[in-house]
Amino acid sequence: MIDFQKAQSAGHMTSRAARLFARVIERKLKPVGMAPGQLPVFYELANGALLTQKALTAAAAVEQPTMAATLARMERDGLVSRQADPGDGRSSLFGLTPAALQQSSLIKEAIHASNRAALAGFSAEEERALLSMLSRIIANLDSKSATPGSG
């Protein structure tokens, strides 16, 4: 019999933490009408930017159909608006609606509250170290997934 040590598996532990994080943030975002999967779009557009679906897809590191569905839901819910891209007639630019911008402080507070809950008891130094390590993990895995034959 193989002895699996879940607590010693970086993949298992980060996956479990991500699922729990998603549950917490989902509960906090629900009152403001946003879902966790919409946060990457919010992050990219919160400063008033107008971006194409292609740019948002790349920034969120998701597949094109996933971003299309996310933007369609956000447009339906009045969170983003679409306008013609003056530089490319075949493309649209997306931006947050005034209603979404008005909710931005509530959305940011939901994000901060979720982070505070997850990092309760961590020192500032531990938080910085964790974020640094997570950034390194992401960079390692992003470079591996982009390398043919590394799967």
Side-chain angles (χ1 to χ4, degrees):
M1 177 145 89
I2 298 173
D3 184 23
F4 288 103
Q5 299 293 319
K6 295 186 296 189
Q8 300 303 312
S9 168
H12 171 77
M13 296 300 284
T14 53
S15 177
R16 176 114 170 94
R19 287 192 306 273
L20 291 169
F21 233 120
R23 282 188 209 151
V24 169
I25 193 74
E26 184 173 28
R27 283 193 301 267
K28 297 203 179 293
L29 287 174
K30 193 169 190 163
V32 296
M34 184 168 275
Q38 297 169 335
L39 282 176
V41 173
F42 176 77
Y43 286 134
E44 294 301 317
L45 302 179
N47 65 357
L50 295 173
L51 297 174
T52 63
Q53 181 175 319
K54 184 176 181 178
L56 289 166
T57 299
V62 297
E63 298 293 326
Q64 189 80 0
T66 301
M67 183 54 66
T70 299
L71 289 169
R73 281 190 302 276
M74 291 180 80
E75 191 172 18
R76 176 199 69 202
D77 295 343
L79 297 171
V80 297
S81 61
R82 172 193 317 242
Q83 65 185 54
D85 183 347
D88 181 356
R90 300 167 295 154
S91 188
S92 295
L93 295 172
F94 292 88
L96 292 180
T97 63
L101 288 169
Q102 285 179 342
Q103 297 278 52
S104 65
S105 63
L106 296 173
I107 294 165
K108 288 176 187 175
E109 178 50 37
I111 293 164
H112 292 310
S114 298
N115 283 317
R116 284 193 305 272
L119 300 173
F122 281 59
S123 69
E125 183 179 323
E126 288 171 322
E127 287 182 36
R128 283 191 301 275
L130 174 63
L131 292 172
S132 174
M133 287 185 267
L134 289 170
S135 293
R136 286 171 52 196
I137 289 169
I138 290 166
N140 288 344
L141 295 176
D142 269 354
S143 69
K144 300 285 190 272
S145 66
T147 305
S150 65

